[in-house]
Amino acid sequence: MNIHFIAIGGSAMHNLALALKHKGYTITGSDDVIFEPSKGRLEAQGLLPHTFGWFPEKIHPGLDAIILGMHAKPDNIELLKAQGLGLKIYSYPEFLYEQSKNKTRVVIGGSHGKTTITSMILHVLNYHDFAVDYMVGAQLDGFDRMVHLTEENDFIILEGDEYLSSPIDRRPKFHLYQPNIALLSGIAWDHINVFPTLDNYIEQFQIFVDSIVKGGSITYNEEDVEVKKVVEASENAIRKLPYTTPAYEVEEGQTLLETPEGLMPIEIFGKHNLNNLAGAKWICQNIGVDEDDFYEAIATFKGASKRLEKIAEGKNSIAYKDFAHSPSKVAATTTAAKEQYTNRKLVACLELHTYSSLNAEFLKEYKGALDAADVAAVFYSPEAVKIKQLDEVTHEQIANAFERNDLKIFTDAASFKDFLFNQSFDNSTLLLMSSGNYGGLDFNKVKDLIK
């Protein structure tokens, strides 16, 4: 097949391009800007566009399909030409479904935890040489790409994102996969630029559960009130399999998971991650991995990239980076870090970076999210607010939202850096939570703070 990618440089898009090249397809692509690591990975496979920009001459009747990324606009000149020629245009999730419609589709959905759960499942299957196709939202140890597609594998594991499919397809991605086996980890309002109310957001998960094929199954976190309501209210003819957080202990910075064979040390920590582990275990068992084999493999799982990722460790101090940015994720991650290192000072730094987190009304959702920290700081860029064309967010609004009198708030990258580098990290845990980079913070220099 000859396939052209419009907006090939995105994290998901470039991984799909690499997967299809590996499968033997002929791939071309365009984009107006491509950053690392996408740029280097595309270049290594000969897929990096020679010139950045949009070129309608790349669109021709010899193409079997166009894959359209979210970075493109509806009036993109390549897209308009493809529509004019009547070429088949797929969104990213549409094409994944097309590649997997004859496989058993396992889809992991939820506002939080889906990347970690998908990563856990893939780690266990890889450990036991159980070959599957997959799409996951983070780079994993032992895997060359975030997307892998074959003709021969029976199963495909898909991370089910609730964000929109493409500029011309406003359906959430996970509505398009039609899972045979599904998991729902949690529902906490997010993406308010697309889903303006909580009810509207919850409705997307109702549609997801109803999209599971008849006779399929939903494994769900019954500790999450909204998840429980959505799943139990569904009239879809599917099996409903609840899970809860397993018993565990924390001793001197080591998490011990309770198993039928006794307490087992694991690399990950935090109640939310133990809850993720329980969901992953049931999915693996549905696929055909028995419980003992699951525990043997999960003991070596170190976490998904950017999810509670250890970046430095000293004699009595440690630093983590985490992708957490929504209120529920921030609260879970901060609590986990304090629980794991109870006797250490916890310095938690959050960057407000997304559309939702920079919305004055949505900010109220962050109430209590940083309460577990001994020192709490929030950084945001007023420039980012302007770029996103949002109403101004004030220092006072942030302070009121978190309801923490000693919260340190920074709007200037240099001031935040001064604060961070003047902290004493003796007997401390540093937690940096962001989907951004705090205005250009050098994380290698941050590592030097941890002795």
Side-chain angles (χ1 to χ4, degrees):
M1 289 185 74
N2 294 308
I3 297 179
H4 181 76
F5 282 71
I6 299 177
I8 197 171
S11 175
M13 288 284 279
H14 93 274
N15 272 285
L16 180 56
L18 294 172
L20 295 179
K21 167 86 183 304
H22 181 76
K23 196 175 178 181
Y25 291 8
T26 299
I27 303 299
T28 58
S30 300
D31 216 324
D32 56 355
V33 61
I34 302 179
F35 299 106
E36 295 294 354
S38 304
K39 184 178 178 182
R41 300 179 80 216
L42 288 169
E43 189 170 29
Q45 294 298 319
L47 298 181
L48 186 70
H50 295 300
T51 306
F52 289 165
W54 312 111
F55 304 95
E57 60 268 25
K58 290 185 177 183
I59 309 302
H60 54 83
L63 292 169
D64 295 297
I66 302 288
I67 300 179
L68 178 64
M70 273 300 292
H71 175 60
K73 299 290 191 292
D75 62 354
N76 182 283
I77 54 176
E78 292 189 14
L79 172 60
L80 293 177
K81 184 171 180 183
Q83 290 171 324
L85 289 173
L87 296 177
K88 181 61 182 174
I89 300 168
Y90 292 97
S91 67
Y92 179 89
E94 276 181 314
F95 194 81
L96 283 174
Y97 175 76
E98 192 66 25
Q99 291 278 301
S100 61
K101 60 187 178 184
N102 296 319
K103 300 176 183 287
T104 299
R105 292 173 302 284
V106 181
V107 181
I108 310 304
S111 307
H112 45 73
K114 54 186 174 286
T115 299
T116 297
I117 295 170
T118 309
S119 301
M120 287 175 171
I121 294 165
L122 291 174
H123 174 85
V124 170
L125 297 176
N126 189 52
Y127 182 95
H128 290 295
D129 297 318
F130 192 126
V132 294
D133 289 3
Y134 60 82
M135 182 275 289
V136 62
Q139 194 61 50
L140 304 180
D141 287 343
F143 292 82
D144 295 332
R145 297 175 303 279
M146 292 157 60
V147 181
H148 180 63
L149 300 169
T150 68
E151 296 296 336
E152 65 272 11
N153 290 337
D154 294 328
F155 287 87
I156 184 167
I157 317 298
L158 296 162
E159 180 178 331
D161 183 3
E162 69 270 25
Y163 202 66
L164 304 181
S165 294
S166 86
I168 59 172
D169 186 347
R170 308 294 286 177
R171 292 174 296 175
K173 294 186 185 77
F174 69 168
H175 288 180
L176 306 183
Y177 296 135
Q178 298 180 44
N180 306 90
I181 298 170
L183 179 142
L184 193 47
S185 61
I187 299 175
W189 190 24
D190 202 356
H191 307 305
I192 67 163
N193 54 317
V194 177
F195 309 114
T197 67
L198 176 59
D199 286 345
N200 179 229
Y201 184 68
I202 291 172
E203 183 184 4
Q204 310 315 312
F205 294 90
Q206 294 168 340
I207 295 169
F208 171 63
V209 174
D210 289 340
S211 75
I212 299 167
V213 299
K214 300 295 181 284
S217 69
I218 176 76
T219 298
Y220 66 101
N221 175 18
E222 69 171 341
E223 292 174 4
D224 186 294
V225 174
E226 295 299 342
V227 166
K228 194 172 190 301
K229 282 197 291 191
V230 164
V231 172
E232 294 183 357
S234 175
E235 295 180 0
N236 195 1
I238 54 176
R239 290 179 298 137
K240 300 174 181 181
L241 310 169
Y243 68 90
T244 58
T245 305
Y248 69 98
E249 298 177 8
V250 180
E251 293 181 4
E252 298 179 359
Q254 173 68 67
T255 294
L256 303 169
L257 173 64
E258 191 174 292
T259 76
E261 302 299 318
L263 292 173
M264 181 184 82
I266 55 176
E267 299 278 349
I268 57 170
F269 63 88
K271 181 181 177 182
H272 66 301
N273 272 330
L274 274 294
N275 185 270
N276 292 335
L277 183 150
K281 180 169 82 75
W282 287 116
I283 293 295
C284 286
Q285 289 183 257
N286 282 341
I287 292 173
V289 177
D290 70 33
E291 189 175 48
D292 288 345
D293 286 342
F294 175 84
Y295 285 129
E296 178 186 339
I298 205 67
T300 60
F301 178 72
K302 291 182 167 60
S305 175
K306 299 180 183 177
R307 272 70 176 179
L308 265 177
E309 180 180 1
K310 188 196 305 183
I311 59 172
E313 185 170 14
K315 291 179 182 177
N316 67 349
S317 58
I318 198 162
Y320 289 93
K321 272 174 65 179
D322 195 273
F323 197 65
H325 48 83
S326 68
S328 60
K329 293 175 186 174
V330 170
T333 302
T334 307
T335 301
K338 189 60 182 179
E339 181 185 64
Q340 189 75 356
Y341 304 100
T342 308
N343 297 319
R344 293 183 183 180
K345 177 180 71 175
L346 174 58
V347 180
C349 305
L350 169 66
E351 178 179 10
L352 300 176
H353 183 70
T354 64
Y355 277 96
S356 297
S357 67
L358 292 170
N359 178 283
E361 188 62 28
F362 186 80
L363 270 172
K364 298 170 186 174
E365 302 289 320
Y366 283 94
K367 178 183 176 182
L370 291 172
D371 282 1
D374 299 292
V375 178
V378 168
F379 169 80
Y380 77 101
S381 167
E383 189 61 31
V385 177
K386 290 178 185 175
I387 290 171
K388 289 179 168 64
Q389 298 181 333
L390 298 170
D391 292 337
E392 180 185 0
V393 175
T394 67
H395 186 289
E396 183 180 23
Q397 284 172 321
I398 291 174
N400 290 341
F402 282 86
E403 293 191 4
R404 181 166 174 153
N405 294 332
D406 62 346
L407 182 68
K408 302 179 189 323
I409 302 170
F410 300 93
T411 58
D412 172 70
S415 299
F416 173 73
K417 180 183 174 183
D418 287 344
F419 155 78
L420 192 62
F421 281 75
N422 284 308
Q423 290 289 312
S424 168
F425 289 103
D426 183 52
N427 196 38
S428 297
T429 302
L430 171 61
L431 179 58
L432 297 165
M433 294 174 285
S434 176
S435 58
N437 64 3
Y438 300 90
L441 184 66
D442 186 335
F443 289 100
N444 286 323
K445 290 183 178 177
V446 171
K447 294 174 186 178
D448 295 336
L449 298 172
I450 306 301
K451 308 295 184 185

